[in-house]
Amino acid sequence: MSKAGHEDDELGEVFLDESDIIHEVDVDEEDLPDADDDDAGITEEPDDSIHIFTGHTGELYAVACSPTDPVLVATGGSDDRGFLWKIGHADWASELQGHTDSVSSLAFSSDGQLLASGGFDGLVKIWDTSGNLKCTLEGPGGGIEWVRWHPKGHLILSGSEDCTVWLWNADNRRCLNVFSGHGASVTCGDFTPDGKTICTGSDDATLRIWNPRSVESIHVVRDSTFAVTGSKDGSVHIVNITTGKVVSSWPSQSSSTEGDPESIECVSFSPNFPWAVSGGMDGNLTIWDVQHSSPRFICNHEEGVTCLAWLGASKFLATGCCDGRIRLWNCLSGECVETLKGHEHAIQSVSVSSNLEFLVSVSIDGTARVFEIRDFH
């Protein structure tokens, strides 16, 4: 604080009289910057979203769109709460209460009848589409990393920080199996499309392939019909889950001169093309040609890529990024065809509505935003 400021504090309010005026300057009010003008030093980014959900009071981590209701959305976050809400229905929301730690994952059953929420409290809760709690599934000794439904029934699979994977029947609350073998947090996993095999990945740098009925670990793939995996060292692997063999391996796309490689945050197969995609903290989305084991395109972002989602079975892919923007890519040409703005901070998850008209994103800025994507099918 300046000496003058300190003296003013001691004297209380200071008043000026005419003898204190040194010089008068006439100012034209039209020359003054408006409070909303860019000239005032405040530049507001455009908001491309058509709907903003602000029911949460903390960072958001998870979002899921219903596979049967094109406007029904679930979100969860660090405020220990989840919400069901509807796009375009600002007066309808149902709070999912009961978790005692962050809601980290959400998934609708394939028939759209049930919603599973997983929390860092180690609980999986099953809800109906009105937000009524059907049951609470207990067992894991650590936070829930992810939840996935069987493609043809009400079986729910989840991975935990305590190195285990759990399988329940959500209709009768019965635990069917516990899969043990990983040596660290089970960070990702899912059923194969036919529901007959389970694949899980862990911080112990292994991919395990399980028989869901016998709890037998069929294969352990240590270097990372196919699964695509991404790892902290920036590498991507394609694995044949029938033989347990690594079919293709692609090292980090970051130059070795740039220091330690950046982690892969999200991977996926295209539903309709022979492509795999991976996004990472190096700011790259890589579109891989699976048949030729080579990158088709490397798509650059200003900051890290945290999540991605295919727009149905189309050639278009959405990426969510640390800069708060969503980018839509034509994976046939490698071009960014749209950049959607609105979030103020990193995007954590994105999901696409069943009618392919809306994309919903959640961010650590505490909001969920809805963007129109009907032009990209």
Side-chain angles (χ1 to χ4, degrees):
M1 182 181 290
S2 67
K3 184 180 179 215
H6 182 66
E7 289 174 351
D8 289 351
D9 287 345
E10 290 183 346
L11 294 172
E13 292 188 81
V14 177
F15 298 94
L16 300 177
D17 57 33
E18 289 193 4
S19 63
D20 293 317
I21 300 173
I22 299 172
H23 184 61
E24 287 186 341
V25 179
D26 291 327
V27 177
D28 190 336
E29 287 188 9
E30 291 184 1
D31 294 333
L32 290 173
D34 188 84
D36 294 328
D37 285 351
D38 289 349
D39 294 338
I42 302 173
T43 303
E44 289 217 6
E45 276 231 324
D47 188 348
D48 298 318
S49 61
I50 62 166
H51 185 101
I52 305 173
F53 180 74
T54 56
H56 289 275
T57 56
E59 299 178 355
L60 270 68
Y61 299 143
V63 59
C65 290
S66 166
T68 55
D69 184 340
V71 299
L72 185 63
V73 180
T75 51
S78 65
D79 55 5
D80 307 348
R81 297 185 298 170
F83 278 94
L84 276 169
W85 49 278
K86 293 183 178 180
I87 298 170
H89 297 259
D91 57 344
W92 192 95
S94 181
E95 184 177 346
L96 310 177
Q97 298 178 320
H99 283 289
T100 57
D101 206 336
S102 299
V103 176
S104 55
S105 51
L106 294 160
F108 282 96
S109 58
S110 58
D111 61 9
Q113 293 181 2
L114 298 175
L115 171 72
S117 62
F120 287 153
D121 53 8
L123 301 176
V124 174
K125 291 182 177 289
I126 307 298
W127 316 82
D128 66 18
T129 53
S130 297
N132 300 308
L133 181 65
K134 303 285 287 183
C135 63
T136 299
L137 306 174
E138 302 180 59
I144 302 299
E145 292 273 5
W146 49 270
V147 289
R148 297 286 186 275
W149 289 91
H150 190 279
K152 299 175 182 177
H154 287 175
L155 304 184
I156 186 74
L157 186 72
S158 75
S160 172
E161 291 178 321
D162 72 352
C163 314
T164 62
V165 179
W166 291 67
L167 178 65
W168 293 276
N169 182 321
D171 290 329
N172 61 21
R173 312 182 187 186
R174 192 161 62 92
C175 175
L176 301 178
N177 279 319
V178 179
F179 304 88
S180 301
H182 281 297
S185 180
V186 186
T187 54
C188 57
D190 206 345
F191 292 97
T192 52
D194 61 7
K196 295 179 180 179
T197 307
I198 292 168
C199 299
T200 58
S202 167
D203 272 343
D204 66 7
T206 68
L207 169 74
R208 286 181 179 265
I209 302 161
W210 310 86
N211 180 327
R213 294 185 180 275
S214 67
V215 205
E216 175 192 1
S217 180
I218 304 168
H219 298 292
V220 179
V221 184
R222 298 195 177 279
D223 295 326
S224 156
T225 264
F226 294 102
V228 58
T229 66
S231 57
K232 286 185 177 179
D233 65 6
S235 62
V236 177
H237 305 286
I238 301 291
V239 179
N240 184 319
I241 62 171
T242 302
T243 64
K245 301 295 184 184
V246 177
V247 178
S248 300
S249 290
W250 301 303
S252 169
Q253 297 300 294
S254 302
S255 168
S256 59
T257 60
E258 296 172 7
D260 293 334
E262 302 280 5
S263 66
I264 299 295
E265 296 293 312
C266 45
V267 293
S268 178
F269 280 115
S270 165
N272 209 30
F273 295 91
W275 306 331
V277 291
S278 61
M281 295 311 291
D282 60 359
N284 289 332
L285 166 74
T286 305
I287 304 167
W288 304 94
D289 184 327
V290 175
Q291 293 174 331
H292 297 91
S293 298
S294 61
R296 285 172 48 84
F297 301 105
I298 298 177
C299 308
N300 302 118
H301 299 68
E302 292 181 14
E303 295 186 34
V305 180
T306 57
C307 52
L308 55 83
W310 289 97
L311 308 191
S314 74
K315 62 187 176 182
F316 295 108
L317 177 81
T319 55
C321 310
C322 289
D323 62 7
R325 298 181 180 183
I326 296 161
R327 291 171 174 84
L328 304 183
W329 300 88
N330 180 336
C331 293
L332 201 58
S333 65
E335 295 177 302
C336 180
V337 293
E338 192 75 50
T339 299
L340 303 174
K341 303 173 184 177
H343 284 294
E344 297 176 2
H345 298 294
I347 293 169
Q348 297 288 76
S349 184
V350 291
S351 186
V352 177
S353 66
S354 61
N355 62 1
L356 307 181
E357 293 191 2
F358 307 109
L359 181 143
V360 187
S361 56
V362 294
S363 165
I364 62 174
D365 67 10
T367 67
R369 279 177 153 77
V370 180
F371 299 90
E372 280 188 329
I373 56 168
R374 54 171 57 97
D375 293 335
F376 302 96
H377 285 184

mmCIF file with all atom_site columns, all heavy atoms in Angstrom, residues 178-199:
data_model
loop_
_atom_site.group_PDB
_atom_site.id
_atom_site.type_symbol
_atom_site.label_atom_id
_atom_site.label_alt_id
_atom_site.label_comp_id
_atom_site.label_asym_id
_atom_site.label_entity_id
_atom_site.label_seq_id
_atom_site.pdbx_PDB_ins_code
_atom_site.Cartn_x
_atom_site.Cartn_y
_atom_site.Cartn_z
_atom_site.occupancy
_atom_site.B_iso_or_equiv
_atom_site.pdbx_formal_charge
_atom_site.auth_seq_id
_atom_site.auth_comp_id
_atom_site.auth_asym_id
_atom_site.auth_atom_id
_atom_site.pdbx_PDB_model_num
ATOM 1   N N   . VAL A 1 178 ? -16.795 -61.679 -9.004  1.00 0.00 ? 178 VAL A N   1
ATOM 2   C CA  . VAL A 1 178 ? -15.764 -60.674 -8.740  1.00 0.00 ? 178 VAL A CA  1
ATOM 3   C C   . VAL A 1 178 ? -14.502 -61.138 -9.459  1.00 0.00 ? 178 VAL A C   1
ATOM 4   O O   . VAL A 1 178 ? -14.057 -62.271 -9.284  1.00 0.00 ? 178 VAL A O   1
ATOM 5   C CB  . VAL A 1 178 ? -15.484 -60.513 -7.231  1.00 0.00 ? 178 VAL A CB  1
ATOM 6   C CG1 . VAL A 1 178 ? -14.392 -59.463 -7.013  1.00 0.00 ? 178 VAL A CG1 1
ATOM 7   C CG2 . VAL A 1 178 ? -16.756 -60.130 -6.483  1.00 0.00 ? 178 VAL A CG2 1
ATOM 8   N N   . PHE A 1 179 ? -13.943 -60.266 -10.281 1.00 0.00 ? 179 PHE A N   1
ATOM 9   C CA  . PHE A 1 179 ? -12.762 -60.609 -11.071 1.00 0.00 ? 179 PHE A CA  1
ATOM 10  C C   . PHE A 1 179 ? -11.532 -59.990 -10.414 1.00 0.00 ? 179 PHE A C   1
ATOM 11  O O   . PHE A 1 179 ? -11.424 -58.761 -10.328 1.00 0.00 ? 179 PHE A O   1
ATOM 12  C CB  . PHE A 1 179 ? -12.924 -60.095 -12.503 1.00 0.00 ? 179 PHE A CB  1
ATOM 13  C CG  . PHE A 1 179 ? -14.177 -60.591 -13.174 1.00 0.00 ? 179 PHE A CG  1
ATOM 14  C CD1 . PHE A 1 179 ? -15.382 -59.893 -13.039 1.00 0.00 ? 179 PHE A CD1 1
ATOM 15  C CD2 . PHE A 1 179 ? -14.181 -61.759 -13.916 1.00 0.00 ? 179 PHE A CD2 1
ATOM 16  C CE1 . PHE A 1 179 ? -16.543 -60.339 -13.648 1.00 0.00 ? 179 PHE A CE1 1
ATOM 17  C CE2 . PHE A 1 179 ? -15.336 -62.222 -14.530 1.00 0.00 ? 179 PHE A CE2 1
ATOM 18  C CZ  . PHE A 1 179 ? -16.519 -61.511 -14.390 1.00 0.00 ? 179 PHE A CZ  1
ATOM 19  N N   . SER A 1 180 ? -10.635 -60.829 -9.944  1.00 0.00 ? 180 SER A N   1
ATOM 20  C CA  . SER A 1 180 ? -9.416  -60.370 -9.261  1.00 0.00 ? 180 SER A CA  1
ATOM 21  C C   . SER A 1 180 ? -8.197  -60.796 -10.071 1.00 0.00 ? 180 SER A C   1
ATOM 22  O O   . SER A 1 180 ? -8.180  -61.885 -10.656 1.00 0.00 ? 180 SER A O   1
ATOM 23  C CB  . SER A 1 180 ? -9.340  -60.964 -7.858  1.00 0.00 ? 180 SER A CB  1
ATOM 24  O OG  . SER A 1 180 ? -10.460 -60.584 -7.093  1.00 0.00 ? 180 SER A OG  1
ATOM 25  N N   . GLY A 1 181 ? -7.197  -59.959 -10.082 1.00 0.00 ? 181 GLY A N   1
ATOM 26  C CA  . GLY A 1 181 ? -5.988  -60.278 -10.822 1.00 0.00 ? 181 GLY A CA  1
ATOM 27  C C   . GLY A 1 181 ? -5.165  -59.056 -11.169 1.00 0.00 ? 181 GLY A C   1
ATOM 28  O O   . GLY A 1 181 ? -3.937  -59.113 -11.229 1.00 0.00 ? 181 GLY A O   1
ATOM 29  N N   . HIS A 1 182 ? -5.847  -57.946 -11.376 1.00 0.00 ? 182 HIS A N   1
ATOM 30  C CA  . HIS A 1 182 ? -5.100  -56.717 -11.644 1.00 0.00 ? 182 HIS A CA  1
ATOM 31  C C   . HIS A 1 182 ? -4.327  -56.286 -10.395 1.00 0.00 ? 182 HIS A C   1
ATOM 32  O O   . HIS A 1 182 ? -4.756  -56.547 -9.261  1.00 0.00 ? 182 HIS A O   1
ATOM 33  C CB  . HIS A 1 182 ? -6.043  -55.600 -12.077 1.00 0.00 ? 182 HIS A CB  1
ATOM 34  C CG  . HIS A 1 182 ? -6.478  -55.686 -13.511 1.00 0.00 ? 182 HIS A CG  1
ATOM 35  N ND1 . HIS A 1 182 ? -5.589  -55.596 -14.561 1.00 0.00 ? 182 HIS A ND1 1
ATOM 36  C CD2 . HIS A 1 182 ? -7.708  -55.853 -14.070 1.00 0.00 ? 182 HIS A CD2 1
ATOM 37  C CE1 . HIS A 1 182 ? -6.252  -55.697 -15.701 1.00 0.00 ? 182 HIS A CE1 1
ATOM 38  N NE2 . HIS A 1 182 ? -7.543  -55.862 -15.435 1.00 0.00 ? 182 HIS A NE2 1
ATOM 39  N N   . GLY A 1 183 ? -3.224  -55.604 -10.619 1.00 0.00 ? 183 GLY A N   1
ATOM 40  C CA  . GLY A 1 183 ? -2.392  -55.170 -9.503  1.00 0.00 ? 183 GLY A CA  1
ATOM 41  C C   . GLY A 1 183 ? -2.508  -53.699 -9.182  1.00 0.00 ? 183 GLY A C   1
ATOM 42  O O   . GLY A 1 183 ? -1.759  -53.182 -8.351  1.00 0.00 ? 183 GLY A O   1
ATOM 43  N N   . ALA A 1 184 ? -3.434  -53.013 -9.836  1.00 0.00 ? 184 ALA A N   1
ATOM 44  C CA  . ALA A 1 184 ? -3.640  -51.581 -9.581  1.00 0.00 ? 184 ALA A CA  1
ATOM 45  C C   . ALA A 1 184 ? -5.062  -51.236 -9.996  1.00 0.00 ? 184 ALA A C   1
ATOM 46  O O   . ALA A 1 184 ? -5.826  -52.097 -10.459 1.00 0.00 ? 184 ALA A O   1
ATOM 47  C CB  . ALA A 1 184 ? -2.617  -50.748 -10.352 1.00 0.00 ? 184 ALA A CB  1
ATOM 48  N N   . SER A 1 185 ? -5.432  -49.981 -9.830  1.00 0.00 ? 185 SER A N   1
ATOM 49  C CA  . SER A 1 185 ? -6.779  -49.517 -10.142 1.00 0.00 ? 185 SER A CA  1
ATOM 50  C C   . SER A 1 185 ? -7.188  -49.948 -11.551 1.00 0.00 ? 185 SER A C   1
ATOM 51  O O   . SER A 1 185 ? -6.413  -49.846 -12.506 1.00 0.00 ? 185 SER A O   1
ATOM 52  C CB  . SER A 1 185 ? -6.820  -47.992 -10.033 1.00 0.00 ? 185 SER A CB  1
ATOM 53  O OG  . SER A 1 185 ? -8.101  -47.498 -10.323 1.00 0.00 ? 185 SER A OG  1
ATOM 54  N N   . VAL A 1 186 ? -8.435  -50.442 -11.671 1.00 0.00 ? 186 VAL A N   1
ATOM 55  C CA  . VAL A 1 186 ? -8.957  -50.884 -12.967 1.00 0.00 ? 186 VAL A CA  1
ATOM 56  C C   . VAL A 1 186 ? -9.622  -49.680 -13.621 1.00 0.00 ? 186 VAL A C   1
ATOM 57  O O   . VAL A 1 186 ? -10.737 -49.306 -13.276 1.00 0.00 ? 186 VAL A O   1
ATOM 58  C CB  . VAL A 1 186 ? -9.945  -52.056 -12.806 1.00 0.00 ? 186 VAL A CB  1
ATOM 59  C CG1 . VAL A 1 186 ? -10.350 -52.592 -14.171 1.00 0.00 ? 186 VAL A CG1 1
ATOM 60  C CG2 . VAL A 1 186 ? -9.333  -53.169 -11.969 1.00 0.00 ? 186 VAL A CG2 1
ATOM 61  N N   . THR A 1 187 ? -8.927  -49.067 -14.555 1.00 0.00 ? 187 THR A N   1
ATOM 62  C CA  . THR A 1 187 ? -9.313  -47.755 -15.060 1.00 0.00 ? 187 THR A CA  1
ATOM 63  C C   . THR A 1 187 ? -10.286 -47.790 -16.234 1.00 0.00 ? 187 THR A C   1
ATOM 64  O O   . THR A 1 187 ? -10.883 -46.767 -16.561 1.00 0.00 ? 187 THR A O   1
ATOM 65  C CB  . THR A 1 187 ? -8.066  -46.975 -15.482 1.00 0.00 ? 187 THR A CB  1
ATOM 66  O OG1 . THR A 1 187 ? -7.308  -47.778 -16.401 1.00 0.00 ? 187 THR A OG1 1
ATOM 67  C CG2 . THR A 1 187 ? -7.189  -46.649 -14.278 1.00 0.00 ? 187 THR A CG2 1
ATOM 68  N N   . CYS A 1 188 ? -10.438 -48.950 -16.892 1.00 0.00 ? 188 CYS A N   1
ATOM 69  C CA  . CYS A 1 188 ? -11.359 -49.023 -18.018 1.00 0.00 ? 188 CYS A CA  1
ATOM 70  C C   . CYS A 1 188 ? -11.783 -50.463 -18.237 1.00 0.00 ? 188 CYS A C   1
ATOM 71  O O   . CYS A 1 188 ? -11.100 -51.399 -17.805 1.00 0.00 ? 188 CYS A O   1
ATOM 72  C CB  . CYS A 1 188 ? -10.717 -48.468 -19.298 1.00 0.00 ? 188 CYS A CB  1
ATOM 73  S SG  . CYS A 1 188 ? -9.174  -49.277 -19.758 1.00 0.00 ? 188 CYS A SG  1
ATOM 74  N N   . GLY A 1 189 ? -12.903 -50.649 -18.912 1.00 0.00 ? 189 GLY A N   1
ATOM 75  C CA  . GLY A 1 189 ? -13.372 -51.995 -19.187 1.00 0.00 ? 189 GLY A CA  1
ATOM 76  C C   . GLY A 1 189 ? -14.729 -51.990 -19.853 1.00 0.00 ? 189 GLY A C   1
ATOM 77  O O   . GLY A 1 189 ? -15.423 -50.975 -19.866 1.00 0.00 ? 189 GLY A O   1
ATOM 78  N N   . ASP A 1 190 ? -15.097 -53.149 -20.413 1.00 0.00 ? 190 ASP A N   1
ATOM 79  C CA  . ASP A 1 190 ? -16.396 -53.258 -21.073 1.00 0.00 ? 190 ASP A CA  1
ATOM 80  C C   . ASP A 1 190 ? -16.642 -54.703 -21.487 1.00 0.00 ? 190 ASP A C   1
ATOM 81  O O   . ASP A 1 190 ? -15.731 -55.530 -21.498 1.00 0.00 ? 190 ASP A O   1
ATOM 82  C CB  . ASP A 1 190 ? -16.449 -52.364 -22.316 1.00 0.00 ? 190 ASP A CB  1
ATOM 83  C CG  . ASP A 1 190 ? -17.864 -51.930 -22.672 1.00 0.00 ? 190 ASP A CG  1
ATOM 84  O OD1 . ASP A 1 190 ? -18.830 -52.535 -22.144 1.00 0.00 ? 190 ASP A OD1 1
ATOM 85  O OD2 . ASP A 1 190 ? -18.011 -50.991 -23.476 1.00 0.00 ? 190 ASP A OD2 1
ATOM 86  N N   . PHE A 1 191 ? -17.900 -54.983 -21.835 1.00 0.00 ? 191 PHE A N   1
ATOM 87  C CA  . PHE A 1 191 ? -18.259 -56.232 -22.494 1.00 0.00 ? 191 PHE A CA  1
ATOM 88  C C   . PHE A 1 191 ? -17.915 -56.115 -23.977 1.00 0.00 ? 191 PHE A C   1
ATOM 89  O O   . PHE A 1 191 ? -17.942 -55.022 -24.551 1.00 0.00 ? 191 PHE A O   1
ATOM 90  C CB  . PHE A 1 191 ? -19.768 -56.482 -22.384 1.00 0.00 ? 191 PHE A CB  1
ATOM 91  C CG  . PHE A 1 191 ? -20.268 -56.780 -21.001 1.00 0.00 ? 191 PHE A CG  1
ATOM 92  C CD1 . PHE A 1 191 ? -20.810 -55.767 -20.218 1.00 0.00 ? 191 PHE A CD1 1
ATOM 93  C CD2 . PHE A 1 191 ? -20.225 -58.074 -20.493 1.00 0.00 ? 191 PHE A CD2 1
ATOM 94  C CE1 . PHE A 1 191 ? -21.305 -56.042 -18.945 1.00 0.00 ? 191 PHE A CE1 1
ATOM 95  C CE2 . PHE A 1 191 ? -20.714 -58.353 -19.222 1.00 0.00 ? 191 PHE A CE2 1
ATOM 96  C CZ  . PHE A 1 191 ? -21.246 -57.339 -18.439 1.00 0.00 ? 191 PHE A CZ  1
ATOM 97  N N   . THR A 1 192 ? -17.627 -57.242 -24.607 1.00 0.00 ? 192 THR A N   1
ATOM 98  C CA  . THR A 1 192 ? -17.578 -57.264 -26.065 1.00 0.00 ? 192 THR A CA  1
ATOM 99  C C   . THR A 1 192 ? -19.010 -57.120 -26.582 1.00 0.00 ? 192 THR A C   1
ATOM 100 O O   . THR A 1 192 ? -19.971 -57.351 -25.835 1.00 0.00 ? 192 THR A O   1
ATOM 101 C CB  . THR A 1 192 ? -16.960 -58.575 -26.574 1.00 0.00 ? 192 THR A CB  1
ATOM 102 O OG1 . THR A 1 192 ? -17.643 -59.682 -25.970 1.00 0.00 ? 192 THR A OG1 1
ATOM 103 C CG2 . THR A 1 192 ? -15.477 -58.648 -26.252 1.00 0.00 ? 192 THR A CG2 1
ATOM 104 N N   . PRO A 1 193 ? -19.197 -56.714 -27.845 1.00 0.00 ? 193 PRO A N   1
ATOM 105 C CA  . PRO A 1 193 ? -20.560 -56.482 -28.358 1.00 0.00 ? 193 PRO A CA  1
ATOM 106 C C   . PRO A 1 193 ? -21.496 -57.673 -28.236 1.00 0.00 ? 193 PRO A C   1
ATOM 107 O O   . PRO A 1 193 ? -22.717 -57.483 -28.111 1.00 0.00 ? 193 PRO A O   1
ATOM 108 C CB  . PRO A 1 193 ? -20.311 -56.120 -29.823 1.00 0.00 ? 193 PRO A CB  1
ATOM 109 C CG  . PRO A 1 193 ? -18.955 -55.496 -29.821 1.00 0.00 ? 193 PRO A CG  1
ATOM 110 C CD  . PRO A 1 193 ? -18.163 -56.271 -28.800 1.00 0.00 ? 193 PRO A CD  1
ATOM 111 N N   . ASP A 1 194 ? -20.970 -58.907 -28.242 1.00 0.00 ? 194 ASP A N   1
ATOM 112 C CA  . ASP A 1 194 ? -21.850 -60.068 -28.083 1.00 0.00 ? 194 ASP A CA  1
ATOM 113 C C   . ASP A 1 194 ? -22.111 -60.411 -26.622 1.00 0.00 ? 194 ASP A C   1
ATOM 114 O O   . ASP A 1 194 ? -22.892 -61.314 -26.308 1.00 0.00 ? 194 ASP A O   1
ATOM 115 C CB  . ASP A 1 194 ? -21.270 -61.293 -28.802 1.00 0.00 ? 194 ASP A CB  1
ATOM 116 C CG  . ASP A 1 194 ? -19.907 -61.721 -28.249 1.00 0.00 ? 194 ASP A CG  1
ATOM 117 O OD1 . ASP A 1 194 ? -19.456 -61.172 -27.221 1.00 0.00 ? 194 ASP A OD1 1
ATOM 118 O OD2 . ASP A 1 194 ? -19.288 -62.608 -28.867 1.00 0.00 ? 194 ASP A OD2 1
ATOM 119 N N   . GLY A 1 195 ? -21.457 -59.688 -25.702 1.00 0.00 ? 195 GLY A N   1
ATOM 120 C CA  . GLY A 1 195 ? -21.686 -59.894 -24.279 1.00 0.00 ? 195 GLY A CA  1
ATOM 121 C C   . GLY A 1 195 ? -21.026 -61.121 -23.687 1.00 0.00 ? 195 GLY A C   1
ATOM 122 O O   . GLY A 1 195 ? -21.207 -61.420 -22.505 1.00 0.00 ? 195 GLY A O   1
ATOM 123 N N   . LYS A 1 196 ? -20.217 -61.845 -24.476 1.00 0.00 ? 196 LYS A N   1
ATOM 124 C CA  . LYS A 1 196 ? -19.667 -63.118 -24.015 1.00 0.00 ? 196 LYS A CA  1
ATOM 125 C C   . LYS A 1 196 ? -18.272 -63.003 -23.408 1.00 0.00 ? 196 LYS A C   1
ATOM 126 O O   . LYS A 1 196 ? -17.756 -63.975 -22.852 1.00 0.00 ? 196 LYS A O   1
ATOM 127 C CB  . LYS A 1 196 ? -19.635 -64.110 -25.183 1.00 0.00 ? 196 LYS A CB  1
ATOM 128 C CG  . LYS A 1 196 ? -21.023 -64.479 -25.693 1.00 0.00 ? 196 LYS A CG  1
ATOM 129 C CD  . LYS A 1 196 ? -20.948 -65.446 -26.861 1.00 0.00 ? 196 LYS A CD  1
ATOM 130 C CE  . LYS A 1 196 ? -22.343 -65.813 -27.362 1.00 0.00 ? 196 LYS A CE  1
ATOM 131 N NZ  . LYS A 1 196 ? -22.277 -66.750 -28.518 1.00 0.00 ? 196 LYS A NZ  1
ATOM 132 N N   . THR A 1 197 ? -17.661 -61.849 -23.510 1.00 0.00 ? 197 THR A N   1
ATOM 133 C CA  . THR A 1 197 ? -16.308 -61.662 -23.008 1.00 0.00 ? 197 THR A CA  1
ATOM 134 C C   . THR A 1 197 ? -16.205 -60.290 -22.368 1.00 0.00 ? 197 THR A C   1
ATOM 135 O O   . THR A 1 197 ? -16.906 -59.351 -22.760 1.00 0.00 ? 197 THR A O   1
ATOM 136 C CB  . THR A 1 197 ? -15.283 -61.793 -24.159 1.00 0.00 ? 197 THR A CB  1
ATOM 137 O OG1 . THR A 1 197 ? -15.490 -63.021 -24.838 1.00 0.00 ? 197 THR A OG1 1
ATOM 138 C CG2 . THR A 1 197 ? -13.844 -61.749 -23.646 1.00 0.00 ? 197 THR A CG2 1
ATOM 139 N N   . ILE A 1 198 ? -15.325 -60.180 -21.386 1.00 0.00 ? 198 ILE A N   1
ATOM 140 C CA  . ILE A 1 198 ? -15.075 -58.907 -20.706 1.00 0.00 ? 198 ILE A CA  1
ATOM 141 C C   . ILE A 1 198 ? -13.609 -58.531 -20.902 1.00 0.00 ? 198 ILE A C   1
ATOM 142 O O   . ILE A 1 198 ? -12.723 -59.378 -20.769 1.00 0.00 ? 198 ILE A O   1
ATOM 143 C CB  . ILE A 1 198 ? -15.396 -59.013 -19.204 1.00 0.00 ? 198 ILE A CB  1
ATOM 144 C CG1 . ILE A 1 198 ? -16.909 -59.185 -18.992 1.00 0.00 ? 198 ILE A CG1 1
ATOM 145 C CG2 . ILE A 1 198 ? -14.884 -57.804 -18.433 1.00 0.00 ? 198 ILE A CG2 1
ATOM 146 C CD1 . ILE A 1 198 ? -17.289 -59.574 -17.574 1.00 0.00 ? 198 ILE A CD1 1
ATOM 147 N N   . CYS A 1 199 ? -13.358 -57.276 -21.214 1.00 0.00 ? 199 CYS A N   1
ATOM 148 C CA  . CYS A 1 199 ? -11.992 -56.757 -21.317 1.00 0.00 ? 199 CYS A CA  1
ATOM 149 C C   . CYS A 1 199 ? -11.820 -55.633 -20.295 1.00 0.00 ? 199 CYS A C   1
ATOM 150 O O   . CYS A 1 199 ? -12.685 -54.755 -20.188 1.00 0.00 ? 199 CYS A O   1
ATOM 151 C CB  . CYS A 1 199 ? -11.710 -56.215 -22.706 1.00 0.00 ? 199 CYS A CB  1
ATOM 152 S SG  . CYS A 1 199 ? -11.847 -57.421 -24.034 1.00 0.00 ? 199 CYS A SG  1
#
